[in-house]
Amino acid sequence: MSERYPYAFTGVHCETTATGTLLKQIGIDLSEPMLFGLAQGLGFIYWNMKCMDFPFIGGRIKPDSITKNLADLLNLKLDVRKTASVKKAWANVEEPLADGKPVGLKLDCYHLDYFTTKIHFAGHYAALYKLDDQFAYLIDTSQQGKTCRTSRKSLELARNEKGPMSSRNLSYTLEKTKNTPPLRDILPVAIRRNAEDFLNPPIRNIGYKGIAKTSREIVNWFERSTEKQRDFTTTAMLMEKAGTGGALFRNLYRDFLLEAQQHIDSPALIQAHKDYTAIAEEWTEVAALLNRAGETETIQPIHNAAALLADLSLKEKAAMEQLSTL
């Protein structure tokens, strides 16, 4: 455990936690649901390739986009740096730290000393706020302890990792360039953009179409899996507990829609919050069914999950159509 940091952000999702810390340092202190919603963060992706051990489903937009969208909407300068040079990577973070600025990092959490579950995931984010001769001091999610410490060598390995979702030694900083616009002006923009992206996916694996496709193909996962208990319980855990805020990010978006009502008056917003309250509960049930399929190694929970997913595709489509008119 390291010392307290006054700008540490408390969050459940890694990118909003890292970027939230950078924002607090420049005087922008918003809740995690608000950051997620303003970033147009809600999404869905179903990814299934022959080289993968098991299909992947995700409930947010692609990595790095949350921070970029926030910077665009809040009139902030986003300085992103990537390099294949380890020496340059250290220089990229030491310079802003010397000026008192925390630095956002994208890395593979496998190498971090404080991660007890050792799995490779190169799309993890944390905020670096201090370095000394031996250690790096980071702000991570509440699940990881919030204020964390890891060796310099472990951080170097984590930042320089290759593989899916990796961005070699990516670091970023934020700074104000103009006045921060009032929430009532930017909330409708963020909500409409998120809805339009969700309703018009570039491929059928994304958005409401991706949920429908998953409902049709999920039964095939059962036959494909050679380790049913591991595969299905892990997928359920990732949906409900691994930095999503529960219900595959739908809990965060539900809370965002409620908070947005404090700033804008819209019947569509009120109805969408009610819709996403029910939608979030169904996503939690999908995760529970996948977990049950893994624990019992029986297919009936998968059939039940498939039916729920088909229903969710229609419900999310209808909710987002309402929000697109905001």
Side-chain angles (χ1 to χ4, degrees), residues 7-12 17 21 24 31-32 139-142 146:
Y7 304 111
F9 187 88
T10 301
V12 296
T17 298
T21 297
K24 283 185 74 172
S31 72
E32 186 169 30
I139 303 302
D140 211 313
T141 61
S142 297
K146 186 174 177 178

Side-chain angles (χ1 to χ4, degrees), residues 207-278:
Y208 80 94
K209 292 181 180 179
I211 301 172
K213 185 171 182 177
T214 305
S215 75
R216 296 190 295 270
E217 298 197 8
I218 194 170
V219 175
N220 299 330
W221 299 6
F222 194 81
E223 296 303 323
R224 169 180 174 173
S225 174
T226 56
E227 293 190 50
K228 293 178 175 58
Q229 184 170 11
R230 179 201 66 186
D231 291 342
F232 285 102
T233 59
T234 299
T235 298
M237 180 274 293
L238 293 173
M239 293 171 66
E240 197 64 23
K241 297 178 180 178
T244 69
L248 204 68
F249 292 101
R250 272 59 188 168
N251 284 348
L252 278 176
Y253 204 70
R254 172 203 64 200
D255 294 347
F256 161 69
L257 294 173
L258 180 61
E259 190 174 344
Q261 293 175 43
Q262 300 173 19
H263 304 277
I264 50 178
D265 183 18
S266 165
L269 190 59
I270 295 170
Q271 184 58 49
H273 171 255
K274 292 178 181 178
D275 293 341
Y276 265 99
T277 299

Side-chain angles (χ1 to χ4, degrees), residues 19-269:
T19 298
T21 297
L22 273 59
L23 290 171
K24 283 185 74 172
Q25 196 270 340
I26 59 173
I28 300 174
D29 192 0
L30 299 171
S31 72
E32 186 169 30
M34 183 58 70
L35 290 183
F36 187 75
L38 287 174
Q40 305 124 63
L42 194 74
F44 183 85
I45 183 168
Y46 163 53
W47 207 246
N48 185 12
M49 299 175 66
K50 290 182 179 179
C51 62
M52 298 168 62
D53 291 336
F54 197 68
F56 170 80
I57 59 174
R60 53 154 285 175
I61 58 176
K62 64 184 181 180
D64 307 332
S65 298
I66 280 179
T67 300
K68 182 181 182 303
N69 288 348
L70 281 168
D72 289 345
L73 212 58
L74 295 171
N75 291 334
L76 304 175
K77 179 184 176 183
L78 172 62
D79 183 2
V80 180
R81 302 185 183 187
K82 288 193 286 186
T83 177
S85 163
V86 171
K87 182 178 179 181
K88 180 65 174 175
W90 281 115
N92 285 345
V93 299
E94 288 166 350
E95 179 185 332
L97 287 175
D99 292 334
K101 296 179 182 178
V103 186
L105 304 178
K106 187 179 178 190
L107 35 72
D108 189 334
C109 57
Y110 175 87
H111 298 283
L112 299 175
D113 296 339
Y114 57 87
F115 262 78
T116 54
T117 302
K118 293 297 183 181
I119 58 170
H120 280 285
F121 177 64
H124 187 68
Y125 295 81
L128 175 68
Y129 68 92
K130 180 182 174 182
L131 286 171
D132 61 27
D133 291 341
Q134 290 183 287
F135 297 104
Y137 300 85
L138 303 166
I139 303 302
D140 211 313
T141 61
S142 297
Q143 301 94 301
Q144 300 306 327
K146 186 174 177 178
T147 310
C148 307
R149 186 180 77 173
T150 195
S151 69
R152 288 180 68 113
K153 184 60 179 178
S154 69
L155 186 68
E156 182 179 290
L157 291 170
R159 296 185 64 203
N160 200 41
E161 186 62 78
K162 300 177 184 178
M165 287 194 284
S166 64
S167 300
R168 296 284 296 282
N169 297 300
L170 185 149
S171 63
Y172 63 94
T173 57
L174 289 169
E175 64 178 88
K176 286 185 175 179
T177 58
K178 305 175 184 176
N179 291 333
T180 304
L183 288 177
R184 66 178 179 274
D185 291 347
I186 57 177
L187 276 166
V189 177
I191 292 169
R192 284 198 306 271
R193 286 177 180 173
N194 203 157
E196 289 163 2
D197 287 346
F198 194 86
L199 292 168
N200 300 284
I203 56 175
R204 298 186 69 84
N205 293 48
I206 295 175
Y208 80 94
K209 292 181 180 179
I211 301 172
K213 185 171 182 177
T214 305
S215 75
R216 296 190 295 270
E217 298 197 8
I218 194 170
V219 175
N220 299 330
W221 299 6
F222 194 81
E223 296 303 323
R224 169 180 174 173
S225 174
T226 56
E227 293 190 50
K228 293 178 175 58
Q229 184 170 11
R230 179 201 66 186
D231 291 342
F232 285 102
T233 59
T234 299
T235 298
M237 180 274 293
L238 293 173
M239 293 171 66
E240 197 64 23
K241 297 178 180 178
T244 69
L248 204 68
F249 292 101
R250 272 59 188 168
N251 284 348
L252 278 176
Y253 204 70
R254 172 203 64 200
D255 294 347
F256 161 69
L257 294 173
L258 180 61
E259 190 174 344
Q261 293 175 43
Q262 300 173 19
H263 304 277
I264 50 178
D265 183 18
S266 165
L269 190 59

